[in-house]
Amino acid sequence: MTEKQKMLAGQPYKASDETLLAERMQAKLMCHRFNHADPTQLEARMAYLRELLVIPNCGHIEPNFFCDYGYNIQIGKQFYANHNLTILDVCQVVIGDHVMFGPNVLLSTATHPIEPSARLTTEYGKSIHIGHHVWLGGNVCVLPGVTIGDNCVIGAGSVVNKDIPANSVAVGNPCKVIKQIHDTV
C-alpha cells in the first residue's frame, strides 16, 4: 500500500511521504488564498473552498479556515462555520445538513501512536461523523473516531472524545450528555 492508501485506511503512515506533502501544500495554498481574499467578494472567496473541498456547495465558512487535505471533507447543505475552523482531515470527515459551528472549532481525525519510538515516524487517523441539524459551540474540539448524532448541541469549550447519541445536549471536558432534546426536525 502507498502511504496515502494507509492514511485513508486509518493505518499508521508516514506523513513525510512526498505525495502527501505535496497534497498538504496544495491545501495550505488554497486555504491561504481563501483566508486572504477580499471579504466583500464572498462568491470569489468561497470558490477557493469549493475547489479545495471538491463539493459544489460547502455552505458558508468564515475565514480563517485550515485543513490538511480537503478531499477527505464532506459537507452537507446549509453549513455555517464561524471564524477559525480547523479540520485535520487525514481520514474522512462527514458533516451533515443544517450544521453550525461557533468560532475556533477543531475537528481532528489525526492522532499519533502512544509509543515514543513509533511517534518519531508515523501517525494515523480515525474518521469523524457529524449528523444533521447539529450545533457545535465556540472552541469545541472533536477528537479522532467520534460520531455526533443528529440534532445535537455541543456546548462551548467542550472536548468530545466519545460518541454523542442523537438528540442530545452535551457539554464539558470530557464532553457528557446533560439532557435530551425532544423537539427534533
Side-chain angles (χ1 to χ4, degrees), residues 64-68 73 83-89 101 104-108 140:
N64 289 322
F65 171 73
F66 303 98
C67 69
D68 282 333
I73 302 169
H83 296 281
N84 299 318
L85 171 60
T86 300
I87 302 178
L88 303 181
D89 63 313
F101 290 173
N104 303 310
V105 166
L106 166 64
L107 307 179
S108 178
V140 166

Side-chain angles (χ1 to χ4, degrees), residues 56-183:
N57 179 10
C58 57
H60 184 78
I61 298 174
E62 300 286 354
N64 289 322
F65 171 73
F66 303 98
C67 69
D68 282 333
Y69 298 97
Y71 55 70
N72 289 323
I73 302 169
Q74 298 175 22
I75 298 175
K77 299 180 290 187
Q78 300 296 310
F79 176 70
Y80 175 78
N82 211 316
H83 296 281
N84 299 318
L85 171 60
T86 300
I87 302 178
L88 303 181
D89 63 313
V90 303
C91 281
Q92 187 179 46
V93 174
V94 178
I95 300 169
D97 297 337
H98 305 281
V99 172
M100 299 185 306
F101 290 173
N104 303 310
V105 166
L106 166 64
L107 307 179
S108 178
T109 66
T111 190
H112 301 274
I114 293 173
E115 300 80 15
S117 59
R119 264 197 318 269
L120 293 173
T121 58
T122 61
E123 62 182 65
Y124 64 100
K126 296 179 183 177
S127 296
I128 291 174
H129 297 269
I130 297 174
H132 303 295
H133 302 280
V134 171
W135 174 24
L136 303 185
N139 295 302
V140 166
C141 179
V142 180
L143 298 180
V146 166
T147 295
I148 298 173
D150 294 344
N151 306 310
C152 285
V153 175
I154 308 298
S158 295
V159 177
V160 188
N161 64 348
K162 293 190 173 146
D163 293 351
I164 304 295
N167 309 312
S168 298
V169 175
V171 300
N173 179 6
C175 191
K176 295 183 187 210
V177 174
I178 61 167
K179 76 185 249 185
Q180 291 302 118
I181 298 172
H182 301 289
D183 174 33

